[in-house]
Amino acid sequence: MPGPTKIVCVGRNYVAHARELGHDVPERPLLFLKPPSALCADGDAIVLPPESGRVDHEGEIAVVIGRRVRNASEEEALAAVAGYAPLNDVTARDLQKLDGQWTRAKGFDTFCPVGPVVPIARVHWRKLEIVCRVNGEVRQHGRATELMFGIPALVSYVSRIMTLEPGDLIATGTPEGVGPLAAGDVVEVELSGLSRVRNPVIAAATEAAPAAAAASHAPLT
Ligand code: MG
């Protein structure tokens, strides 16, 4: 499976989560993108950027596209899915509110841990459940049957906007229970019994040491 050309995310797709952030339930899927440069694998560290004082976990069911699809019906959309994966839509909540646009808040390097793909033949999408744990404690739990816009409807909707390519990811939204991550935490998102992605959280390394900064201003010889 190639890497994604894009990571399409859905906001406020569980009623309880929309309400916990004080939002109305949207009439149609609310979409945004994360850059593929944000991807990180199981075991990689999530790096807290110094610009943010509040970085949240968002455990989500991700859809992995298996073949190119555009303008698909729900049935055609589901036929183009390769499988599912656990995904953490890590979010700098303070920057999301500050900017209005979500690109910065959602787009930092390491802000998109994704676990191993579960082939579509192994599980019906309606049976998927997502659990997010921080330091072993359950913080979020959601079922695919609780999604306002289900997986076939979401893939069809996105395919009418942009051509989906093999490896592309669609993160289907997070259930209630989002909360902050701190350096030293370990956060785990699991597609129950099928696949999981676990990541330590670390603070960003401090800027270049003063000696190195001074050296960069040394006259050329
Ligand atoms: Mg999300």
Side-chain angles (χ1 to χ4, degrees):
M1 182 66 61
T5 68
K6 52 195 165 295
I7 304 163
V8 185
C9 302
V10 183
R12 301 169 198 164
N13 200 21
Y14 289 81
V15 175
H17 169 63
R19 297 215 169 116
E20 80 176 339
L21 294 183
H23 299 295
D24 291 331
V25 172
E27 290 172 26
R28 64 193 73 80
L30 172 63
L31 303 183
F32 63 94
L33 295 167
K34 282 171 98 81
S37 48
L39 284 171
C40 81
D42 183 47
D44 290 349
I46 296 168
V47 181
L48 301 175
E51 298 93 320
S52 174
R54 170 74 190 244
V55 173
D56 281 2
H57 56 82
E58 292 192 2
E60 308 198 7
I61 300 166
V63 177
V64 185
I65 299 299
R67 59 181 166 80
R68 177 176 287 190
V69 62
R70 66 186 293 270
N71 287 330
S73 67
E74 291 192 16
E75 192 178 346
E76 291 162 345
L78 196 57
V81 171
Y84 308 104
L87 182 150
N88 194 343
D89 174 21
V90 180
T91 302
R93 194 70 67 201
D94 50 353
L95 305 185
Q96 183 183 28
K97 287 178 182 146
L98 192 66
D99 289 358
Q101 299 287 323
W102 299 0
T103 303
R104 185 164 68 126
K106 300 280 193 175
F108 285 96
D109 286 0
T110 73
F111 269 27
C112 194
V114 180
V117 179
V118 179
I120 191 169
R122 256 189 90 187
V123 59
H124 190 283
W125 72 268
R126 288 180 180 281
K127 297 233 165 103
L128 294 169
E129 287 187 37
I130 194 81
V131 176
C132 179
R133 298 180 192 87
V134 177
N135 304 326
E137 192 176 294
V138 174
R139 297 287 175 85
Q140 298 182 271
H141 178 230
R143 295 181 175 85
T145 50
E146 297 165 348
L147 294 170
M148 274 180 281
F149 303 99
I151 286 173
L154 283 177
V155 178
S156 169
Y157 183 81
V158 176
S159 82
R160 292 175 192 278
I161 302 161
M162 58 191 89
T163 301
L164 291 167
E165 303 285 355
D168 283 355
L169 296 167
I170 300 176
T172 59
T174 202
E176 67 181 317
V178 298
L181 295 170
D185 285 346
V186 175
V187 58
E188 176 180 278
V189 180
E190 179 180 353
L191 272 183
S192 295
L194 297 168
S195 177
R196 74 175 185 197
V197 62
R198 178 189 277 171
N199 305 87
V201 179
I202 62 171
T206 48
E207 295 301 316
S216 71
H217 296 295
L220 296 174
T221 53

